Amino acid sequence: MVGETTPALPDSLAGWLSLLEERHGQRIALGLERVEAVRDRMAADCDAVVITVGGTNGKGSCCAMLEAILLAAGYRVGCYTSPHLLAYNERVRIDGREASDAQLVAGFTAVEAARGDTPLTYFEHGTLAAWHVFVSERPDVIVLEVGLGGRLDAVNVFDSACTLVTSVAMDHMDYLGDTREAIGREKAGIFRAGCPAVCGDPQPPASLVEQAAAIGAELWISGRDFGFGGDRQQWGYWRYTEPAAQGSLVKRGGLAYPALRGANQLLNASAVITVLECLRSRIPVSMQHVRQGLMLVEVPGRFQVLPGRPSIVLDVAHNPQAAGVLADNLGNMGFYPETWAVFGMLGDKDVAAVATLMAGRIDHWLLADLPGPRGLEAEVLATVVRAAGGKDDVRCFPSPAEAFAAAQKEATEGDRIVVFGSFLTVADVLAAIKAARH
């Protein structure tokens, strides 16, 4: 209409995130066509070697390991992960540093200019904005973490030189299917014809293997084509020179354990080394760089043990597979008189299975409300925890931060506080810890 003006675009990161949140409720059909169309209009060509990382659990750890090793080897690295804990900038990193507000604003603005009338979700807009940042910075390698599934995830519009599926377990069943076969098929959607595809799951569903064969991807499976072994002091990596257990056996010994805690990190590390071995003709990396990167890697919220007493463990475990790993890792930590859980979950997760797996490790349950339409109220969580075998001390709090404050007040120096169940749970506690230090 004559006289109408186009609303001004935000000039701050907070303004952009607010605008994208407002649009987030819009119903948009599944599919990559919209994202592909905007990508094409952005003229977003890039010469970087792209590595795409999908899977149910372990994606963030594998991305961080790849980033740390490649940086140790002297490469410029762009890394895109999600979700964030404290600041959106965590999602987009260049050479190990978070993207600036100005870089992200430029990215969001470029996507807006290219999309025209094409609707995009919050994650889709953010993914294309991250790509714009990378194109501007021209890194040697770009590591992309799948947000959900794989086949229809926004990062799948970018072709990769190598893909990694870390694990296949039951999560996001409303979107991906209610069997491992269905979920495996979605995860395998990131594979590319003629390119190496690494699977860190020693028992992949048949659907994943079949998809790799159908498109002609070069599939490497943990335990069959590569793997690890070791003792308490060091570990070793092995692989065949060709997948499907073909060719000669190559061994690399004397590796220090990754800085990331937990026995499952060797599964992740061996898969990461295999990705780098597959790409050695394009981005050669020495075993010394692998050692250096693994010793320096950090990922907040993945079995993160904070210094001081009582011990504080932060873990974003929010599905049964991750909870089982967390329970095992807690069992390997040594003796603690009492373990206090700060626990909050989203309602679309398998809350009962997570609580059951953790029940034997927890003495005191401090349950927290989580915000948003998916967040569970602590009272609902309490019913599930008690049914799962939780001990007598089950209490409810309005937020994870308040539950954590109660745990800090009551736990003795020799005790342990475990914060888990959701990124939102860990983020609220991390923010409270950060505020207390300033």
Side-chain angles (χ1 to χ4, degrees):
M1 186 176 293
V2 177
E4 282 191 356
T5 58
T6 302
L9 294 177
D11 58 4
S12 68
L13 178 57
W16 268 110
L17 297 178
S18 177
L19 175 61
L20 296 179
E21 285 283 3
E22 289 174 17
R23 294 176 179 172
H24 191 54
Q26 298 173 358
R27 288 186 62 83
I28 298 176
L30 288 175
L32 298 180
E33 294 81 5
R34 292 170 296 98
V35 187
E36 288 171 342
V38 179
R39 175 205 63 192
D40 292 343
R41 291 197 290 268
M42 289 176 65
D45 291 338
C46 184
D47 296 330
V49 175
V50 178
I51 303 169
T52 302
V53 180
T56 305
N57 296 306
K59 297 192 297 281
S61 296
C62 286
C63 288
M65 288 181 189
L66 284 165
E67 180 186 43
I69 293 169
L70 290 164
L71 288 174
Y75 293 104
R76 298 204 63 221
V77 184
C79 190
Y80 176 59
T81 60
S82 64
H84 60 275
L85 285 170
L86 298 181
Y88 188 92
N89 310 64
E90 298 167 22
R91 296 184 180 218
V92 184
R93 295 193 298 277
I94 297 288
D95 295 339
R97 295 184 297 274
E98 295 173 7
S100 67
D101 285 11
Q103 286 175 308
L104 293 170
V105 167
F108 286 129
T109 304
V111 176
E112 187 71 8
R115 80 175 184 87
D117 295 330
T118 304
L120 295 173
T121 66
Y122 179 102
F123 183 78
E124 290 166 347
H125 201 124
T127 299
L128 291 169
W131 188 260
H132 180 272
V133 173
F134 296 148
V135 170
S136 302
E137 291 293 322
R138 303 189 67 81
D140 302 306
V141 187
I142 297 174
V143 179
L144 301 174
E145 179 187 349
V146 170
L148 174 65
R151 182 175 63 91
L152 297 177
D153 189 81
V155 304
N156 205 30
V157 301
F158 302 107
D159 278 330
S160 53
C162 183
T163 53
L164 167 59
V165 171
T166 58
S167 64
V168 181
M170 306 299 283
D171 200 5
H172 300 294
M173 280 97 78
D174 290 348
Y175 298 94
L176 305 180
D178 57 3
T179 66
R180 279 190 86 231
E181 292 298 327
I183 294 172
R185 193 172 294 108
E186 293 296 319
K187 304 288 186 191
I190 64 173
F191 293 167
R192 292 296 189 266
C195 294
V198 178
C199 178
D201 193 320
Q203 296 179 307
S207 59
L208 181 144
V209 179
E210 290 164 0
Q211 174 65 12
I215 68 169
E218 181 185 277
L219 183 61
W220 297 75
I221 300 176
S222 178
R224 185 193 74 174
D225 307 312
F226 67 91
F228 61 91
D231 54 33
R232 294 186 175 217
Q233 278 70 45
Q234 60 186 19
W235 68 287
Y237 165 80
W238 61 265
R239 69 173 177 87
Y240 286 98
T241 53
E242 300 292 336
Q246 302 295 313
S248 56
L249 188 63
V250 177
K251 293 185 177 181
R252 301 280 187 266
L255 297 173
Y257 278 82
L260 301 181
R261 295 170 179 255
N264 60 308
Q265 294 302 348
L266 291 188
L267 270 171
N268 294 332
S270 60
V272 161
I273 295 173
T274 304
V275 168
L276 296 172
E277 288 286 307
C278 288
L279 295 173
R280 63 189 178 280
S281 64
R282 298 184 64 182
I283 44 171
V285 171
S286 72
M287 289 309 293
Q288 184 55 37
H289 294 138
V290 170
R291 292 184 181 95
Q292 186 178 348
L294 292 181
M295 286 191 294
L296 296 175
V297 65
E298 295 179 348
V299 188
R302 273 72 163 190
F303 201 61
Q304 180 182 6
V305 182
L306 302 183
R309 301 182 70 186
S311 291
I312 298 171
V313 179
L314 306 173
D315 199 302
V316 295
H318 57 267
N319 57 50
Q321 185 188 49
V325 171
L326 174 57
D328 288 343
N329 289 338
L330 292 174
N332 293 329
M333 281 184 72
F335 174 73
Y336 294 85
E338 303 284 324
T339 296
W340 303 73
V342 174
F343 183 42
M345 284 196 74
L346 298 177
D348 56 1
K349 302 298 180 182
D350 192 345
V351 182
V354 170
T356 300
L357 287 162
M358 290 292 293
R361 302 293 184 196
I362 306 301
D363 300 294
H364 307 274
W365 292 86
L366 308 185
L367 311 178
D369 293 348
L370 289 189
R374 296 166 62 208
L376 268 185
E377 293 183 357
E379 292 288 351
V380 175
L381 202 54
T383 301
V384 178
V385 167
R386 290 190 179 100
K391 296 189 178 179
D392 292 339
D393 189 13
V394 178
R395 286 176 269 167
C396 299
F397 296 84
S399 71
E402 289 169 88
F404 180 69
Q408 283 186 303
K409 184 176 180 180
E410 297 189 45
T412 67
E413 280 198 354
D415 288 348
R416 172 174 62 184
I417 302 172
V418 184
V419 181
F420 74 102
S422 170
F423 276 86
L424 295 175
T425 307
V426 172
D428 198 46
V429 170
L430 268 177
I433 291 171
K434 184 177 181 180
R437 289 175 177 170
H438 292 80

